[in-house]
Amino acid sequence: MNNPKVSVVVPIYNQERYLRDCLDSLEAQTLEEIEFILINDGSKDSSIDIMNEYAAKNPKFIIVDKGNDGVGKTINIGIDMAKGEYIAELDSDDFAAADMYEKLYEVAKKNDVDIVKSSVNNFIGEGENLNVYFKEEIARKGYYNRVINPLEEKEVFTFKMYAWCSLYRRELLQDNKIIWNEDVSAYNDNGFYWQTMSLAKSVYYVEDYFNYHRRDNEHSTVRDSNKMFNNFFAEHAFIVEKLIKSGTFEGLKKYFFSWKLDNYYFALTRIEFERKQDFFQLVAKDFRKDIEEYGLNAVHFVNQSQKIKINAIVKDPIQYFYTDYLKQYYKVSVVVPVHNSANYIRQTIESLLTQTLYGLEIILVENGSTDNTLEILKEYEGRDWRIQLHSIGASDAGTARNYGLERAHGQYIIFLDADDIFYPTMIAKAYNAGVKDDAEVIWFKTAYKDLLSGQTNPYNNFFNVAQMPNHRPFSFKQLKWNPYKAFNGWAWDKMFKTDYVRANNLTFQSLPVANDGYFTYLAMANAQRITTVNEILQLHIIGHGNNISFSKHDENYRNDYDMILEIVKELRKFDDENTSAHLFLKSMLPHMEWMMQRGYKTQEALQKYFNLLVSGGLEELGFIEILNEENSASDQEVIDRFEQVLDYHVDDFDKFMLEIGNQWIGKERNRLNYIPNAQVQQRNGKIIFGQNASEAQNTAGGLFAMIIPKKDTENVTAVVEILFLADNAPAVKDTLNLSFAINADKEGELQSNLFQAEWANGEKVMTDNIYYTYIDNVFTVYVKYTGKYTGFEYIFSNATSRSFPNKFSVLGINTGYITTIFPEVLPEMKRIEAIHQNYHAPALYGQRTVFRYEGTKEQSEELLCVELPNYAFNNVVFALEIANIPNNRPAIYDTLYFGFFLDSEKEIQANVFQAEWEKGRPALMDNVYYRVEGNKVYIGARFTEIWAAYHFKLKSIVGRELNQDYSVNYLAQELVEKELSVLPKDAQFIKEVQG
């Protein structure tokens, strides 16, 4: 192309992963007169092959293949080659909106400007997972959509300096010999920016977000701290040289020095902590030169505090690092161990990133996840410089917390779980209270949200105000009565002074379960300065099935005991009378009782714990020593029960359970997890989604829950009207029929049985977006996010049970306009897809085929064949009733309407003119097919599962001819007990539904 309007220069080095997205976006550009100069800078991957592939089919792509010289020389080659009126640069891991260069060129020509700049879409992910998480404006309000002379409105030198969202007049670059610095390997866009902006006579900013800038490329230069050390200082010197040469330096000094300081602080966010002091010394050396040679101190800064900061760094960079930088940027270290948390980690991290306290260090320690947790964490690491990601391989949460503790640099440290939600002011309020009282421990209130019942309640028992003295701060010993009963041994409702933790050598036990108790109890017991925040700051999420304390006790039955034992050993060092150890043990006995009653889910684990206690475990804890002490009535009651345990020996478990265990433990083991309150009947409510789609996709929140007594034969039958509230679109209504119960099995164990969860009509918006769980005695209905300003409303038209009066409760879980992010759809949630069927019994007395031989989805059985005599235009239509009968699950029934005629245009061939379902049941649409063979049509069905079946019968059939000259042959074996046939290649699955 001889006279392109725009030349786009794309430097490419080892970008095979993202390059196609970039080149596809160029190929789609709506500007016709455009050329794309692709320059391979010595890539070692398949980048050059991809480049050649695009060039072979589109002459707009011009290829340069050379050795590795660096990005500066690479782009300079492209600029020299460019023929366009305007030149653009595009990074090869980014992409452009299809109309980007057409629109920017139109603006440039219309306003006759040297430079046009547009705003930016910052994104992470690929394909369907691409997420534009931050739309970044290129300028401030008031500077858009007008021509600006940069040297007359110098505030523009405080705006973003991105090159890849801009167009540059070719004459501006060539006449002024503007180049990219070839002596550095990165950050040479800095010098290009200062040259172009200082020499341009006219710049135009547009608000449109045309460029898509990737923020999660692991090989990006901003992730390479060595390049910052090696390039930043040289690039800044290059800029000064160019500005002095062009005569613009004096007029731009205050903007340049201020920008350079910000640039160094940006670099500090990417440089490893251990190298920051060295970097500060280099910064001090650089600014000392600015003071001595370029008169920095004579310059009037826009923000004078920046000059003060520069002089403090120059005077003593190491002192500044400790006294100013750390206190500003490392106030609190947040340590989060993360394992298989893909369903919850996004909301957890988002609630950390929105904390109001400036100066967080977020240390995410991933330890051997087998889901896509690590991939999600890498996304966030690329988004926010405060996040440090460490993947340490398979380990327990205690080891992960210790790993984070070793790498923490904050004045305070807090250890949080990967599935909880933190209120925006949580860390700020805890930190401010700690600083105010110079506290070693800051202890705050929390609440829990149960995803099963939807209830949120405070943890009042673990923030016992009655035991606290009136003054703050206070020492641990100033807690009244037994101080160990005032709190719980988890770490996540407390913040700790980091120096205090290290001075006392506090660490977490390397245990799969109960690993934070040792750290927390000893941190509290040693504390001389404890302060509190009497406000709920955190929401602990339970009921999603992955909480450690509810899922791993059985396989790690002695972890809890080992935690208590090690704490007792440490507390025995506190005093000769073992008072501290005895108080702690008394506080733990109710917990040990709870472990026996409800901590273990299997009898086998409970027996192991029993054997541990009776084989010397209680004695090792010091239980014998507290028997004769003066105890409170509540303590004595528990002590008496454990004293009875001492009468038994290993292998006496059955005897123990028979004599006292079933009364003491068994009774509690069958205690209701959720007790219904029949007075609570919240039988109507609604959710309106207020979340943005970018952060709420594939999330679901509870709509309502029903709790029934956990007793044999208790049941509920309910009819619930549900209305989908669309955003400026017609509403959709359906009726949900529910029936579930609690029944005892042969051994007397209570089981949760669901008999019905079916829609009356099966509206698609309902079957796609409404889920349920039925766990223990709680049936919960959830709604999936369907878009901002949409929602669901429910109202019970009827709900009853066999008990009189009714004993169940109905709880509205989320109500009103919801802006908080729900958890992602959990594996435990099951979509309500079934549709109530009014079966026509006679229709099922036809043929059947039962799969009694294992198969795959790629195998099938043909049910029947309809054949027409071989002459033109003969036809037939029929209605075939089919029921898909899964193994021990409700049947799915529908009617297939089918018609075909014989086409004689070339040769006699069946031509299908109708193949559609009456209802459109997915289980049939996905598995029933037809195929054509000459004058015959075959109807078949593929294998679904062993013991599943298809029942089918011709409800009616009619042909054109008077004598009904068609034939129907039933092909399916009634019992398929041998290898199935391979699914025919010409099988056409029937997806249409009658309008």
Side-chain angles (χ1 to χ4, degrees), residues 406-461:
E406 291 172 3
R407 287 153 181 80
H409 307 104
Q411 182 184 356
Y412 283 88
I413 187 169
I414 187 169
F415 301 91
L416 301 174
D417 287 354
D419 54 358
D420 292 340
I421 297 174
F422 318 113
Y423 297 162
T425 58
M426 179 186 80
I427 296 178
K429 289 186 174 180
Y431 171 78
N432 290 334
V435 171
K436 175 177 175 291
D437 293 328
D438 190 24
E440 297 158 335
V441 181
I442 304 97
W443 172 21
F444 51 87
K445 290 184 73 173
T446 59
Y448 69 89
K449 180 171 184 178
D450 189 339
L451 295 184
L452 290 175
S453 68
Q455 295 186 74
T456 298
N457 293 300
Y459 278 124
N460 288 327
N461 291 340

Side-chain angles (χ1 to χ4, degrees), residues 857 924-930 942 983 987-992:
K857 287 282 188 182
L924 292 168
M925 295 170 70
D926 291 344
N927 293 302
V928 175
Y929 66 87
Y930 76 88
R942 65 174 161 192
L983 182 70
Q988 303 289 316
F989 288 95
I990 304 167
K991 300 289 189 178
E992 297 296 321

Side-chain angles (χ1 to χ4, degrees), residues 862 898 929-933 936-940 984 986-988:
E862 300 210 317
F898 200 97
Y929 66 87
Y930 76 88
R931 66 182 184 87
V932 173
E933 187 177 299
K936 303 174 185 176
V937 168
Y938 292 84
I939 305 294
D986 57 346
Q988 303 289 316

Side-chain angles (χ1 to χ4, degrees), residues 490-545:
W490 49 51
W492 40 260
D493 62 348
K494 303 167 188 75
M495 183 181 287
F496 308 90
K497 182 177 283 189
T498 308
D499 288 345
Y500 166 73
V501 171
R502 289 175 175 155
N504 287 274
N505 296 314
L506 297 172
T507 59
F508 293 83
Q509 288 177 289
S510 295
L511 301 173
V513 183
N515 49 65
D516 54 351
Y518 177 84
F519 174 94
T520 305
Y521 280 112
L522 293 180
M524 291 290 283
N526 281 285
Q528 298 302 310
R529 301 182 68 83
I530 300 172
T531 195
T532 62
V533 179
N534 192 4
E535 182 180 343
I536 293 174
L537 301 179
Q538 181 183 153
L539 196 60
H540 183 52
I541 305 300
I542 65 173
H544 55 55

Side-chain angles (χ1 to χ4, degrees), residues 715-716 738-743 753-758 774 890:
N715 78 325
V716 165
L738 300 173
S739 178
F740 53 93
I742 299 288
N743 301 111
N753 292 318
L754 176 65
F755 303 114
Q756 184 183 35
E758 293 182 328
Y774 185 26

